[in-house]
Amino acid sequence: MVLAVIIGYYVKGIKKSFQVAQITKVSLPICIGLWVMMYPVLCKVRYELMGKMLKSREMGRNLLLSVIMNWVIGPALMTGLAWATLPDLPGYRAGVILVGIARCIAMVLIWNELAKGGSQLCAVLVAVNSVLQIIFFTPVTLFYLKVVSRGHGLHVDSWDVAKSVFLFLGVPLVAGVITRFSLRYIFGKPWYQLKFIPFIGPWALIGLLYTIFVMFSIQAHHIVSNIGEVFRVAVPLILYFGIVFFSSISFCRFLKISYPQSVTQSFTPSSNNFELAIAVAV
């Protein structure tokens, strides 16, 4: 992040080169980075076990907990933190609220992977949040920005939400499913698990680092020029992540939920869909 800001600020033309094209108001290089990051993770998901997993009683509990944390507690908490820390900055406050409402359907997969969380559960929760995002994002956003925050002139297009879900989850998910079933069928399960997965696995971290570099190099001048506002906006975001993540993991520990499932349940509500928040904010 620091290296990207320094290079983006001092190297001329880097912002222009990274913003050569956009998809749903998000830079094409960022989109590519997200796809590269998510594809290896989604190739590892054991889709063949999904049917059995979805029928289990434990999955019902996990889904209920996830929905409450993501769609009831998360948006309300972020709105409260935004008003408490940014009362005099309505534009930034609205942006922070948008981030709090948009549930993560991309980077949460890599955070979960790095922390050794449950990949199958994470894939299910991400898929469920994607569907709920299409249904709930518009009314929840209008409630917190128009009713609670008394904003004016707001318009949230459900098509923007659907496009974000399709591009940042649908594309890599379909690619991952096709890759897993086709390569396992052609080359066999041992080759796929022992040869292909170790080859493709490191690309997830490479994609993550590349995406972070592109994001911060593009925004370098904005960050340096508005460093005070950047630190102020960071306050509600850091508080949100800390409160949601550690309360979730503590609650899961209280319920005696296994470590992999606890990690997944904690990262899912504490991560946010910045791509969708940017598109709607613009």
Side-chain angles (χ1 to χ4, degrees), residues 44 180 184 188-198:
K44 294 179 182 180
R180 183 172 182 86
R184 277 160 58 97
K189 297 177 184 179
W191 178 89
Y192 186 86
Q193 205 63 37
L194 299 175
K195 296 289 185 181
F196 181 73
I197 291 298

Side-chain angles (χ1 to χ4, degrees), residues 16 30 109 174 180 209 217 247 278 280:
K16 188 176 180 180
I30 292 178
L109 291 163
V174 170
R180 183 172 182 86
L209 295 173
S217 61
S247 62
I278 288 172
V280 175

Side-chain angles (χ1 to χ4, degrees), residues 262-273:
S262 297
V263 167
T264 302
Q265 286 285 11
S266 302
F267 271 123
T268 307
S270 58
S271 303
N272 304 99
N273 186 346

